[in-house]
Amino acid sequence: MFLHQKELQFEAKPDKPNPLIAKYLQELIGGQYGEMSVAMQYLFQGWSCRGEEKYKDMLMDIATEEIGHVEMLATMVARLLEGAPVEDQEAAMKKDPTIGAIISGMNPQHAIVAGLGPRPADSVGNPWSGAYIIASGNLLADFRANLNAESQGRLQVARIYEMIDDRGVKDLLSVLLARDSYHQNLWAQAVKELEEKEGTILVPSTFPRNEERLDIAYDFYNFSEGDQSKEGSWAKGKALDGEGEYQWLSTPKVEGKAPKLDPVTPKMYGTPPEK
């Protein structure tokens, strides 16, 4: 059960209407790494969590907070679109090139589809997709995905922060930046805890190692021109999982032969074989 509280978690209002900034903020609502994505990702991870209760409770806490972030951003988009009717904005465009440059960047769906409201879509109008979310049932794998999602999300918020001058919108973005900072710390801490608990960095941790090709499990192959990659910590020394030694190979191992495929049935109308 979810209960909606009318008060926003944080209050922020734009200095003035600006449909271009509203378009930017759509990426933070319905983009691949937007708040809709992390909210649904954490919800589905929590709903399927069969591990310790603390992990499920934590996931549901953070997921519900992210729903609140969607509402804050959606409210800000609506406020940025408030003010003069679209007709007045179009008239202003003809008089002032600066206003014209702003309005020309407006997402027309904000007016045509949503009646000057937010959309469950990204900054170029692509609808949000459930394909963005990751919920595998393995908490270590999922928490690493969550860390990536928060890293990408905070990066995008920071970029928009630098692109705009509206102090009110920046106040809201500063909140999102702070919460994304904490969430990165949270997921990194949870990943560390699970790695220590499972005694490995590998996912899945219980898969028998003798079922894989251990002779190639720690090799770095130099597949591209140049050999600077051999200077990295991934190319030499003890592996992070503690079970092997990294080695850098100047040329990849080649164990296979060039493939030769038989012709398909004539009913497929492929290219006829040479006679």
Side-chain angles (χ1 to χ4, degrees):
M1 179 187 294
F2 286 87
L3 299 175
H4 177 255
Q5 182 173 315
K6 293 182 179 180
E7 292 81 12
L8 295 176
Q9 187 179 16
F10 297 96
E11 179 69 12
K13 294 182 179 180
D15 296 339
K16 58 184 178 181
N18 189 318
L20 183 57
I21 296 179
K23 184 176 180 180
Y24 292 166
L25 295 189
Q26 282 292 158
E27 194 66 34
L28 306 183
I29 295 175
Q32 181 177 0
Y33 298 106
E35 301 291 352
M36 288 182 66
S37 292
V38 290
M40 295 306 294
Q41 180 157 308
Y42 304 163
L43 283 173
F44 274 88
Q45 289 176 7
W47 287 330
S48 65
C49 182
R50 293 178 173 84
E52 294 183 35
E53 192 64 24
K54 68 176 182 180
Y55 294 123
K56 180 167 187 172
D57 191 39
M58 177 262 285
L59 281 162
M60 299 305 293
D61 285 337
I62 306 304
T64 307
E65 178 182 0
E66 302 294 11
I67 296 174
H69 291 177
V70 175
E71 184 178 20
M72 287 191 293
L73 283 164
T75 302
M76 180 62 79
V77 167
R79 286 171 169 167
L80 285 163
L81 296 171
E82 285 176 355
V86 174
E87 294 82 359
D88 292 347
Q89 294 180 14
E90 291 174 345
M93 286 172 61
K94 299 175 183 178
K95 297 180 180 178
D96 188 333
T98 303
I99 295 177
I102 293 175
I103 303 300
S104 65
M106 180 179 184
N107 180 352
Q109 288 189 334
H110 278 157
I112 299 169
V113 179
L116 300 183
R119 296 270 298 140
D122 66 15
S123 56
V124 292
N126 297 314
W128 181 84
S129 171
Y132 295 153
I133 74 168
I134 294 173
S136 70
N138 183 290
L139 288 179
L140 180 52
D142 284 350
F143 289 177
R144 287 172 175 165
N146 296 351
L147 176 57
N148 173 66
E150 295 287 354
S151 300
Q152 297 290 342
R154 186 169 189 269
L155 176 62
Q156 292 180 359
V157 174
R159 286 172 172 165
I160 294 176
Y161 188 94
E162 299 293 351
M163 293 166 65
I164 66 175
D165 295 320
D166 190 295
R167 188 64 255 172
V169 180
K170 284 195 168 192
D171 286 344
L172 174 59
L173 297 184
S174 70
V175 168
L176 298 180
L177 286 164
R179 296 310 295 162
D180 285 349
S181 295
Y182 171 66
H183 292 157
Q184 284 189 59
N185 276 293
L186 167 76
W187 298 123
Q189 190 70 42
V191 166
K192 183 174 183 290
E193 180 176 298
L194 284 175
E195 288 176 349
E196 291 174 351
K197 177 182 176 182
E198 299 190 24
T200 181
I201 65 168
L202 302 180
V203 175
S205 60
T206 54
F207 185 83
R209 295 302 305 275
N210 61 357
E211 294 292 329
E212 64 180 273
R213 285 278 303 276
L214 291 174
D215 60 310
I216 59 173
Y218 300 96
D219 293 349
F220 184 98
Y221 299 146
N222 185 34
F223 270 113
S224 62
E225 185 175 334
D227 61 1
Q228 293 89 340
S229 57
K230 68 181 180 182
E231 302 303 324
S233 58
W234 53 81
K236 54 184 178 294
K238 193 171 185 62
L240 277 178
D241 63 15
E243 298 186 30
E245 292 280 335
Y246 297 134
Q247 65 172 335
W248 187 90
L249 301 178
S250 59
T251 56
K253 291 181 179 178
V254 178
E255 300 179 353
K257 300 177 182 178
K260 185 176 182 181
L261 305 179
D262 293 332
V264 299
T265 171
K267 292 183 180 180
M268 292 294 100
Y269 301 104
T271 303
E274 295 182 5
K275 295 182 180 179

